[in-house]
Amino acid sequence: MSTIKDIAKRANVSVATVSYVLNNTRFVSPEKKKRVEEAIKELNYVPNAVARGLRVKNSKVISLVVSDITNPFYPDIAKACEQVAYQSGYTLNIVNTNDQDDRFIKAVMQLREGKVDGIINTTVLDHHRSLMENLIKDKYPIVLAHRLLDGINMDTVVADNIQAAIDATNHLINLGHKKIAFMTGVTKSSINNLRIKGFLKAMKDANLPTKEDWLASGQAKYQQSYDLTKELLKNSNNRPTAIINISDLGALGVLDAAGDLGIMVPEELAVVGFDDLFISSMRSVQLTTIRIPRYEIGQKSMELLIDKITNNDTNNHHNILLPAELIVRKTCGSRIID
Amino acid sequence: MSTIKDIAKRANVSVATVSYVLNNTRFVSPEKKKRVEEAIKELNYVPNAVARGLRVKNSKVISLVVSDITNPFYPDIAKACEQVAYQSGYTLNIVNTNDQDDRFIKAVMQLREGKVDGIINTTVLDHHRSLMENLIKDKYPIVLAHRLLDGINMDTVVADNIQAAIDATNHLINLGHKKIAFMTGVTKSSINNLRIKGFLKAMKDANLPTKEDWLASGQAKYQQSYDLTKELLKNSNNRPTAIINISDLGALGVLDAAGDLGIMVPEELAVVGFDDLFISSMRSVQLTTIRIPRYEIGQKSMELLIDKITNNDTNNHHNILLPAELIVRKTCGSRIID
DNA sequence: TTGAAAGCGCTAACAA
DNA sequence: TTGTTAGCGCTTTCAA
């Protein structure tokens, strides 16, 4: 591995000159420049980014922290982030915490360690509050994507989850449903709670009762929602006629459980999800859902973050709210059910 | 941001001592140790990993390079990689090249830049050969996962794709199919070509003809395969009775196209995919496919890589071949078709 | 137009 | 048991 010194020696110039041609940061005479470039080629030289980073105090890398890369929700955000990061000369590192706290902490600590210039965080839970608060206090560039942490003044970009849940619920209510179950996700997630709030509000506004065991957690996962659905529907006397699941992945579990139980969707059971994953649009699924604008969330988050970094503007915070849209497909039908 | 100097000053010890307690690399008297630890806490000190990296010449990070994180195939590999990396004290950075060459080059260059200690590469194409060759020649730790680059002696871990394609084809042949189409992926991918090879071999061994336009590229994507299927099936006189798609994502496109065309699966058309994605196992899909052991690929790749790094063993190369398994579900039926 | 050299924050060899 | 200091590879100030 050759260093800038080797290049300088071979090109018969100073290391400073090499640095100048490398970074195009000062005029260098054509002859010297040419010698340097040749030496670089001959030695297959690539500047050490670590040394450079130490000196200039930035890395030109941004981390996107996700809790589960296996959930198709996140890759879409990641893709968008990478796109805009690249355009601005940044590299995106996706880090998967696998829902584990120590991983999460390690990931955000990259900021203090000097390894990354900023972080887009899609995975804060409530008990990370003070950790995040300290980072913000110390002016590290962070934006929360699809997450909220109330009480902390920081940058966020989220969809309008309350309204989304209201829309989903009203859709069902307008179809005549009165017995609606709501399958939630991880209780400590802000987004989760906002959706519950929206659901409860819509129900209340329509003077509809909400049963306690019809508001339970499928953890936004397929299998858990599948199991929970079987539980929920086993008593044929008092069944919900509709289930809203907090995620499409979970809604898929609902659909499959209903299928295995011989319950027809949408005739006997309406189901709606959240997210609008690719799978949900497939011919054999056709799930009615709320589209969370993932690509836009990723994009806006990255734009916001890079803006903060570039302008060194860590004092003003922006809170961007994106609309979510109800996508009506086939899992709710259009019939009025008693 | 405080540095090791600040800690030394505040704890009234030398920077060396601070470093020793930080890294637990030499005995330090309890009193001093305590003072150092207090200072660290008080100043909220976190060592600068960049400076450390420059000094010790490693980063304890490994990159996983993928072409499209949005393809559910890769997140599974990523998850496995992260798991084993973490256990060995490494951090995993997933980098998404979005199928673009400049991104790919940037990603592997991290090795020369000193930003990462090793790379697991799931996205080499044929024209990256010399780039990879140089890296290998210079002893950088790299393993190819789910990719091959023949002619270069390097570490690889892949499933047995030829056999997998043979198994898939024979399954169809045994069911009585004679008119089998094979929908391929990106032509320059080694895995793709191995699968074609397996298909061709099985057909030849069974004395079955292969039509040229029945061997076309759906690019391993949903939409492309959907479109291609419509094309393929529009002439009802001379249709294949079975389609093998090089990926489950593509096979889903085949399934949906058939559905939209009113062609019944499996009665009128059998379809088999490759990968065994989660979606494929869903109740409404039930795709017959070849399971590529993604988790195991990720795991073995990372173990191999870390082993190389740890033992500085960049001379010996291992080529791991994992079995792939035919998963029979419902898209081929069990009837013999003419 | 160019070069010498300081210094980024850390580790570790050497000295005490 | 602890401290001093060189040096990792680079950028950039200052001087020429």
Side-chain angles (χ1 to χ4, degrees), chain B residues 315-327:
Chain B
N315 293 313
N316 301 307
H317 297 290
H318 301 266
N319 299 284
I320 299 178
L321 191 68
L322 266 18
E325 186 191 354
L326 176 72
I327 308 291

Side-chain angles (χ1 to χ4, degrees), chain A residues 103-335:
Chain A
R103 255 91 146 182
F104 174 79
I105 293 169
K106 217 176 157 186
V108 298
M109 275 311 162
Q110 292 182 110
L111 241 19
R112 290 194 192 276
E113 292 177 332
K115 290 189 123 168
V116 302
D117 296 347
I119 278 192
I120 293 182
N121 197 335
T122 66
T123 180
V124 245
L125 294 182
D126 212 56
H127 63 278
H128 298 132
R129 165 173 270 97
S130 76
L131 178 62
M132 295 308 284
E133 211 158 11
N134 284 330
L135 255 9
I136 296 296
K137 206 182 60 206
D138 290 347
K139 313 277 185 202
Y140 286 103
I142 301 178
V143 357
L144 254 37
H146 192 59
R147 286 293 133 157
L148 252 22
L149 217 41
D150 43 45
I152 303 184
N153 187 15
M154 62 186 300
D155 297 81
T156 58
V157 5
V158 295
D160 188 347
N161 287 281
I162 296 191
Q163 189 56 50
I166 292 176
D167 291 348
T169 312
N170 282 344
H171 178 64
L172 257 10
I173 293 173
N174 292 336
L175 251 23
H177 291 275
K178 293 181 170 28
K179 296 148 89 176
I180 305 174
F182 192 92
M183 228 167 253
T184 75
V186 180
T187 45
K188 287 291 163 67
S189 146
S190 47
I191 296 301
N192 185 76
N193 298 334
L194 256 18
R195 290 180 186 172
I196 293 177
K197 202 167 164 182
F199 166 68
L200 259 19
K201 180 176 184 337
M203 291 297 273
K204 199 177 164 206
D205 286 355
N207 278 312
L208 256 21
T210 48
K211 271 192 68 173
E212 198 174 324
D213 28 324
W214 288 4
L215 188 65
S217 176
Q219 292 187 62
K221 301 255 163 97
Y222 176 89
Q223 192 58 49
Q224 286 86 338
S225 292
Y226 179 94
D227 294 341
L228 189 57
T229 303
K230 283 217 159 164
E231 190 63 28
L232 211 58
L233 300 182
K234 74 172 177 221
N235 178 2
S236 58
N237 296 325
N238 193 18
R239 253 184 210 156
T241 61
I243 297 178
I244 303 177
N245 193 295
I246 198 120
S247 75
D248 277 7
L249 238 33
L252 260 21
V254 175
L255 251 22
D256 281 5
D260 286 350
L261 250 24
I263 295 174
M264 304 232 291
V265 173
E267 293 78 1
E268 299 173 84
L269 180 75
V271 359
V272 4
F274 272 91
D275 291 345
D276 193 28
L277 299 181
F278 168 71
I279 325 177
S280 312
S281 69
M282 277 179 33
R283 194 176 192 284
S284 52
V285 178
Q286 288 294 311
L287 176 67
T288 288
T289 187
I290 296 283
R291 174 175 299 154
I292 302 297
R294 295 187 289 291
Y295 195 86
E296 225 180 325
I297 288 178
Q299 195 176 333
K300 286 262 181 294
S301 298
M302 189 55 85
E303 284 168 5
L304 189 53
L305 184 64
I306 289 179
D307 206 70
K308 292 184 84 64
I309 295 173
T310 313
N311 303 319
N312 203 354
D313 176 20
T314 34
N315 294 313
N316 301 306
H317 297 289
H318 301 266
N319 299 283
I320 299 177
L321 190 68
L322 267 18
E325 186 191 356
L326 176 72
I327 308 291
V328 177
R329 284 197 278 247
K330 303 203 170 152
T331 53
C332 295
S334 52
R335 286 186 37 239

